[in-house]
Amino acid sequence: MALYLKIITPMRTAVDTEVSSILVPSTQGEMEVLPGHTDIIAALDNGELTYRPIGGETKSVFVGGGFLQVDKGHALLVTDTVLEAHEIDSSSIEAAVAKAQEAFRNQASVLSREESTHLAAAIARQLAMLEYRRKKHI
């Protein structure tokens, strides 16, 4: 028995394959989805998603949050970011994080709550990308 996985972004279909398992970074912690999983909708966090294609080796990608819907043997993940480890440029992300953290410290008192939350979320996403890349030893 297999599970059909499709990961889409506004720009492309990143994954479209049959799998034997999926491990996702839900907002409630890691969640494994296997064939026969109950129907569910889950919010995802930034982090590593791993999946095992039928007859293949385990693969992983970084996902920038989103939503996962499992319905009758199909898993659809909608996100705005899907990257493989080699697609993440550590030096540019580190520079962007440092600049954003400095701006956050210097402008914290003049930023609106919404701006502050948005900036903190952007920093968290960038740091999660770096962690994923380091974990993959690239």
Side-chain angles (χ1 to χ4, degrees):
M1 182 180 227
L3 179 66
Y4 187 78
L5 172 64
K6 190 170 196 174
I7 303 175
I8 61 173
T9 72
M11 302 301 289
R12 66 186 176 112
T13 298
V15 175
D16 191 3
T17 190
E18 283 190 326
V19 300
S20 60
S21 66
I22 309 166
L23 187 62
V24 298
S26 84
T27 56
Q28 302 299 308
E30 284 190 326
M31 179 176 77
E32 186 170 26
V33 180
L34 300 169
H37 196 284
T38 189
D39 295 351
I40 190 172
I41 295 177
L44 300 185
D45 206 352
N46 299 315
E48 180 178 14
L49 177 142
T50 60
Y51 62 98
R52 181 180 292 272
I54 298 296
E57 297 288 322
T58 299
K59 297 182 178 188
S60 80
V61 293
F62 174 85
V63 293
F67 293 92
L68 173 71
Q69 177 184 17
V70 178
D71 182 34
K72 297 177 183 67
H74 288 79
L76 174 64
L77 190 152
V78 179
T79 183
D80 64 356
T81 305
V82 177
L83 297 169
E84 293 184 24
H86 71 273
E87 296 176 296
I88 299 171
D89 180 4
S90 294
S91 59
S92 65
I93 290 176
E94 288 168 350
V97 167
K99 185 176 179 180
Q101 288 173 329
E102 181 65 24
F104 190 70
R105 281 190 297 273
N106 292 338
Q107 301 297 321
S109 63
V110 297
L111 294 175
S112 70
R113 181 174 289 189
E114 182 180 343
E115 291 169 327
S116 179
T117 300
H118 181 70
L119 185 55
I123 292 169
R125 177 180 290 208
Q126 298 299 317
L127 291 173
M129 278 187 206
L130 286 174
E131 178 62 27
Y132 170 69
R133 182 173 163 84
R134 286 183 183 125
K135 182 178 176 185
K136 294 300 169 188
H137 306 290
I138 292 181

